[in-house]
Amino acid sequence: ASALLAAASSASAAGGIVAGDWTLDVGGIVNAYYTSTKFSGNAAGATGPLGQAAGSTASTANITTGLLPNYLAVSGKTRQNDLDVAFTISINPGASTTGGGDQTDQQENRQAFLTFGDASWGSIKLGKDLGVYASDAILNDMTLLGVGSGAGSLAGNTTTLGRIGTGFMYADWKAQAVYTTPNFNGLSATFGVTQAWNAAALINLLAGGTSATSATSTERGGNEPAFEGKVSYDFAADAVKGKVWASGISQKVQGLTNATAAVTTISGTTATITAAVANSVADTEKTATAWDIGTNLNAAGFGLTAYYGEGEGIGQTIQFADGFDRAGNKRDSKQYYVQGTYALPGVGTKVGVSYGESKLEGTAADTNFGNIKDQMWVGGVYHPITKHLNLVAEYAVSERKVSDGSAAGDTSESATAKTVSLGAILFF
């Protein structure tokens, strides 16, 4: 999956159709999975931290797309005036719908960009593509071939979550203008600007209610873009191949406001509405930042991935979601995951296990919660029955813990989702 996305991003797939000066390629992914999710914890049966709807049963089964949506990409490349010129455009439909007659919302358009450059000085990309910060974290996640978390709460969506929010932040698909250096014996760098995003409150923090503790940027970060960059080094030594990378992001956020809304707090195992919050955040400017570092090593069929990242004002799952409290203070976040895989000799079957956590820390202004921690174990088997078709079996256990941060004694709510996924993914 990583190779296919990389090929699509560089419009460099092998072969193709010659059309005048251009070589055109068509490629993509089709996948679908049967998933069964069982919820438990003191949030079960309510609008819980893992998205379980009020009044729902403690289990659900769905047929859905995995972490990758279905994917159809058209790309082209040519050499003109001593420049390599290329483009990629993709459409990304889901494989699930939960409403009769509703076929309109399961669609994404993730890529529409052009590139130009030369091996002697690098390349420039303009348009919409995978973001720079945290991109290697998701491209090395083994659940990219499967489902991971979110199958029970995101039924009908174009994708599930994989390990997003339980080990790394979502790189997402962004309008961007970036420059990538030439490859210096495995060493390369990418840096540039991406579209500014607003700091919105998107996470349902507590069981039984919707959070209104986060300040919201109404000016989409003002008119200033985000700055993102990445440095990576690919190497091979005898039987060991690997990659080391580090990336970062910085964006100024302006226009932070907090509209009047209810605040939820924990009383035993039930979230109750206790107060209303008036506008209290000044129209001030803050800077949200994040960085990460990771490595992927492969030898004799074994693979190891280790990743760690930290942020201020960036949130923990979707970039800039709940990164600020209601007073406009930045919340700190941390995330990491460790993954091990092994490809069985002779058959190509890959087995893997991974664990990761994402943590969002509360502030003094967060009177209704202290910290949020999302964690997940995943075990998976990925078997190629042809060179293009893989059968997938996964078992994922994800858990969200939310503490109220009270001085009188911290009371926490938690919920667990256990998901079995069986399906297939086809690359072409």
Side-chain angles (χ1 to χ4, degrees), residues 112-124:
F113 66 87
L114 63 88
T115 63
F116 60 93
D118 184 75
S120 63
W121 59 267
S123 65
I124 294 173

Side-chain angles (χ1 to χ4, degrees), residues 3 57 136 139 153 217 222 311 329 370 417 419:
T57 61
D136 282 280
L139 291 178
S153 58
S217 167
N329 301 309
T419 300

Side-chain angles (χ1 to χ4, degrees), residues 67 130 133-145 147-149 160-172 245 247 290-294 305-311 314-319 333-339 354-359 374-376 378:
L67 173 55
L130 188 65
Y133 166 69
S135 58
D136 282 280
I138 191 171
L139 291 178
N140 284 280
D141 175 18
M142 71 182 194
T143 67
L144 201 64
L145 289 175
V147 174
S149 68
T160 58
L161 287 176
R163 186 168 284 289
I164 296 169
T166 53
F168 57 82
M169 296 200 69
Y170 189 28
D172 224 316
W245 72 87
S247 67
W291 62 270
D292 67 6
I293 186 170
T305 300
Y307 173 84
Y308 180 80
E310 293 187 4
I314 195 75
Q316 71 170 142
T317 302
I318 305 297
Q319 292 180 22
S333 58
K334 298 178 181 179
Q335 48 273 323
Y336 75 89
Y337 79 93
V338 179
Q339 171 183 290
S354 69
Y355 175 78
E357 294 183 1
S358 292
K359 185 177 182 180
D374 291 311
Q375 60 192 44
M376 182 174 68
V378 179

Side-chain angles (χ1 to χ4, degrees), residues 209-226:
T210 300
S211 166
T213 62
S214 291
T216 299
S217 167
T218 58
E219 299 182 12
R220 303 193 65 82
N223 295 318
E224 298 187 39

Side-chain angles (χ1 to χ4, degrees), residues 183-268:
N183 190 312
F184 299 104
N185 296 319
L187 180 65
S188 63
T190 298
F191 55 89
V193 297
T194 58
Q195 175 64 41
W197 283 5
N198 63 320
L202 299 178
I203 302 175
N204 184 13
L205 297 177
L206 304 176
T210 300
S211 166
T213 62
S214 291
T216 299
S217 167
T218 58
E219 299 182 12
R220 303 193 65 82
N223 295 318
E224 298 187 39
F227 296 90
E228 300 190 44
K230 178 179 70 173
V231 177
S232 61
Y233 177 62
D234 291 272
F235 61 89
D238 297 327
V240 179
K241 295 182 180 180
K243 180 178 182 177
V244 180
W245 72 87
S247 67
I249 184 173
S250 176
Q251 180 188 310
K252 290 183 179 180
V253 177
Q254 297 174 330
L256 286 168
T257 61
N258 186 49
T260 301
V263 176
T264 57
T265 185
I266 297 175
S267 175

